[in-house]
Amino acid sequence: MSPPLRYPLAAPDLSGNERAYVLECLETGWISSRGRFVPAFEEAVARLVGRRHAVATCNGTTALHLALLGLGVGPGDEVIVPSLTFVATANAVTYCGARPVFADVDPSTRCLSVESARRLLTARTRGLIGVDLYGHPCDVTGLEALAAERGLWLLEDAAEALGAEGAGRRVGSFGVASVLSFFGNKTVTTGEGGMVLTDDDDLAARLRLTRGQGQAPDRVYWFPTLGYNYRLTNVAAAIGLAQTERADRLVADRRRVAGWYASRLADADVVDLPGQAPGARSVYWLYSVLVRGGAARRDALARGLLAAGIETRPLFTPLHELPMYREHPTDGGCPVSRDLAARGLSLPTSSYLREEDVDEICGELTRLARS
Ligand SMILES: *Cc1c(COP(=O)(O)O)cnc(C)c1O
């Protein structure tokens, strides 16, 4: 039996209008995907990131799938994704019948390396998915330049980084479209939920059509195209609207927690801290350190922390190591992704953590690392 969890990895802060808005859904009976909160939530997020269109979906994975369908990805196509990301980034490509191809990441940002992506280009490459990993923006300038040079699209997987900025631009506004996730542990949450953001009017229309079973907007039970039911419920959107009202606050809280970690661990001599690229502002969705001494030491630290009620996570398993992706092309086996995955440890990063909580977590971490 493990002891009670005192510090979960990332728990939601639902202290705003969430309760009132959800009650409104119950009292008015609007609990499916119709109702005022879905368009209100879409507009609020579009405004927040500076995009023209926002299309809410039932989770971030369906948002990725919808975006790729909207971009016309299909069998025979290749899409370049970083090996170090959540599995949904690559799976959405696979759902389309296309092939994800695995590039390495930059060691300083942990995001898709432009040079590595360049080495994987073939005649079948259709686009790139830049992931804003753990809240740090991907290299938007480099990736957009590569995409433009080769006639490819850039899709931004911003699932972990709402509120971050890269090259003076808000995450969620990079490339032809961006995808968000509102899973329960994300900085802004709806429990389960996702969204596609774009400035392209035609793409937005295709996304809305495909999200709603492909039913024509002006003719009931007429389906001009194969669609899906990827809609978000009004109840989830109600939570999302309340969260979005406080998004700046939730992001600022996360950055403050990261600042406390950085000041306490900078001289601890046991871990390497996450960096920020010039011009980038991370949201530190998770504060992820690299344990000096490798995987065995990292795993021992994680066990010790859990015994003290402190939940941690390793970084993602590089996707090209998973059974279903083992035969897919990689850039030389993605050594940077593998190194980061072996040493990475994400620490509790809930936005409600106080300074004394971070003190305690860091105290336990350094104590364990020295023992
Ligand atoms: C959370 C996440 C998603 C989407 O996940 P859902 O659980 O389906 O909302 C996609 N990509 C990345 C990088 C993520 O972290």
Side-chain angles (χ1 to χ4, degrees):
M1 274 286 291
S2 23
L5 206 52
R6 290 161 58 229
Y7 296 114
L9 189 72
D13 171 345
L14 303 169
S15 59
N17 282 323
E18 287 83 356
R19 180 184 297 265
Y21 291 170
V22 168
L23 270 177
E24 184 185 318
C25 296
L26 297 177
E27 281 159 6
T28 58
W30 292 108
I31 58 169
S32 78
S33 54
R34 295 201 192 169
R36 80 175 182 100
F37 289 114
V38 175
F41 178 43
E42 290 177 333
E43 278 159 35
V45 177
R47 215 174 314 119
L48 194 67
V49 302
R51 282 280 204 191
R52 199 131 73 143
H53 303 282
V55 179
T57 64
C58 49
N59 59 59
T61 307
T62 53
L64 277 165
H65 186 203
L66 194 63
L68 291 167
L69 290 169
L71 292 168
V73 174
D77 293 344
E78 289 180 357
V79 176
I80 296 175
V81 305
S83 181
L84 191 68
T85 178
F86 183 55
V87 70
T89 315
N91 283 354
V93 176
T94 305
Y95 299 160
C96 297
R99 184 157 80 150
V101 167
F102 297 105
D104 210 348
V105 296
D106 182 290
S108 61
T109 65
R110 306 168 180 178
C111 296
L112 180 59
S113 153
V114 179
E115 287 320 306
S116 178
R118 186 184 286 279
R119 286 192 284 272
L120 289 168
L121 295 170
T122 72
R124 293 177 298 278
T125 309
R126 293 291 167 265
L128 319 162
I129 306 183
V131 181
D132 306 314
L133 203 72
Y134 297 113
H136 190 291
C138 62
D139 177 3
V140 55
T141 312
L143 291 173
E144 281 184 344
L146 178 62
E149 177 193 322
R150 298 301 183 108
L152 309 170
W153 43 255
L154 171 68
L155 176 64
E156 181 190 24
D157 181 347
E160 302 178 354
L162 183 60
E165 285 163 41
R169 289 162 58 189
R170 283 224 158 193
V171 148
S173 68
F174 302 171
V176 63
S178 307
V179 165
L180 295 172
S181 164
F182 304 111
F183 182 64
N185 67 9
K186 298 284 160 74
T187 307
V188 167
T189 183
T190 60
E192 294 273 4
M195 200 173 275
V196 187
L197 299 149
T198 184
D199 294 320
D200 182 323
D201 299 347
D202 294 334
L203 176 59
R206 287 200 297 282
L207 296 174
R208 290 186 185 283
L209 190 70
T210 308
R211 173 183 67 174
Q213 302 281 22
Q215 179 168 272
D218 50 1
R219 186 172 167 194
V220 75
Y221 297 137
W222 181 250
F223 306 93
T225 180
L226 178 70
Y228 297 77
N229 178 356
Y230 279 176
R231 296 182 299 256
L232 183 72
T233 69
N234 199 47
V235 182
I239 298 172
L241 181 64
Q243 289 267 296
T244 308
E245 289 168 352
R246 288 183 299 129
D248 289 346
R249 188 60 218 275
L250 294 170
V251 166
D253 286 347
R254 224 94 177 171
R255 287 192 175 126
R256 199 178 44 175
V257 169
W260 290 329
Y261 274 123
S263 69
R264 274 142 191 87
L265 294 175
D267 303 320
D269 215 29
V270 289
V271 293
D272 294 313
L273 306 184
Q276 260 181 136
R281 287 198 76 204
S282 177
V283 289
Y284 298 99
W285 167 56
L286 295 180
Y287 194 80
S288 306
V289 298
L290 303 178
V291 178
R292 295 186 192 160
R297 192 164 163 76
R298 188 266 315 269
D299 294 343
L301 270 180
R303 278 194 302 273
L305 288 167
L306 189 61
I310 301 166
E311 186 182 28
T312 61
R313 285 269 172 84
L315 298 205
F316 298 121
T317 304
L319 299 186
H320 69 280
E321 294 182 351
L322 301 178
M324 61 205 165
Y325 292 132
R326 222 171 260 160
E327 308 299 322
H328 285 228
T330 69
D331 179 29
C334 305
V336 180
S337 299
R338 295 186 57 198
D339 173 57
L340 294 174
R343 296 193 293 131
L345 187 71
S346 296
L347 302 173
T349 323
S350 304
S351 29
Y352 57 74
L353 287 178
R354 300 160 306 169
E355 194 163 11
E356 51 266 43
D357 298 327
V358 174
D359 269 338
E360 198 182 329
I361 294 164
C362 293
E364 194 63 31
L365 178 74
T366 41
R367 194 185 64 74
L368 285 164
R370 295 210 174 104
S371 63

